[in-house]
Amino acid sequence: MSKTTLRKATASFSADEMRQLLFELYEKSKEAKEWLDFYADPDVGKKLEAYKKPVLKEVERYSRRAHRPRVARIRPLIKKFASLDPGDAAVAELMVFAALGLVRVASTNVLPDANAAQVVRFFGDTVDFLKSRLMLDDYLPQFEKALRGMEDFRYYRNPLRERFGAILADAIAENV
């Protein structure tokens, strides 16, 4: 159904009928309930903390004797949070929280190649999001500190440090 069709269908509704429809939608749809709850009480900090918990769970996911973060589950959480329209600063904070968590996990563990590629791609997307909204300078010290804290592994250098560093260097060069 398109917006136009919905608009035509609800044009003849009275205020009471519209309220009743809204209450039925609230009762039957989990997504609508969350959105309407946030609309009624827009506490961005509280909602941000609520979304950080499942993001952290996915970042620190441990399976088959190794860390295997699921970026494919983190992205929809961030998208769902952004759909509430909490503002770019809150979305950026959640993305940076996830990216720094992924860097932390990658700094102490050898990630499988598929996970490493997803983590690097997510890090790049986070930096691009911040750069496009002119927020990169605010979070740059946190990223640099996280990259400095990345450890080399026993027998070889951590390859992700160089990839993360290249992403940041390119973003800084384009930002100047």
Side-chain angles (χ1 to χ4, degrees), residues 89-137:
V91 174
E93 189 172 337
L94 185 61
M95 288 181 80
V96 169
F97 174 78
L100 290 175
L102 291 168
V103 167
R104 187 183 70 251
V105 167
S107 72
T108 57
N109 301 284
V110 177
L111 297 177
D113 291 340
N115 281 105
Q118 290 176 346
V119 167
V120 169
R121 193 174 316 118
F122 182 82
F123 186 82
D125 292 345
T126 301
V127 169
D128 290 343
F129 179 86
L130 294 171
K131 187 173 63 175
S132 69
R133 284 152 180 87
L134 305 175
M135 295 182 192
L136 184 60
D137 292 336

Side-chain angles (χ1 to χ4, degrees), residues 78-95:
I78 292 171
K79 186 176 180 181
K80 188 175 176 186
F81 179 69
S83 73
L84 298 174
D85 199 22
D88 286 343
V91 174
E93 189 172 337
L94 185 61
M95 288 181 80

Side-chain angles (χ1 to χ4, degrees), residues 139-150:
Y139 292 101
L140 197 57
Q142 292 178 28
F143 286 136
E144 290 173 341
K145 181 180 178 184
L147 293 185
R148 280 193 307 271
M150 286 188 84

Side-chain angles (χ1 to χ4, degrees), residues 46-62:
K46 185 173 138 183
K47 190 56 81 173
L48 180 63
E49 291 304 315
Y51 272 86
K52 281 183 177 181
K53 289 177 185 175
V55 166
L56 183 63
K57 181 180 175 184
E58 292 299 331
V59 164
E60 295 180 344
R61 180 174 172 264
Y62 195 81

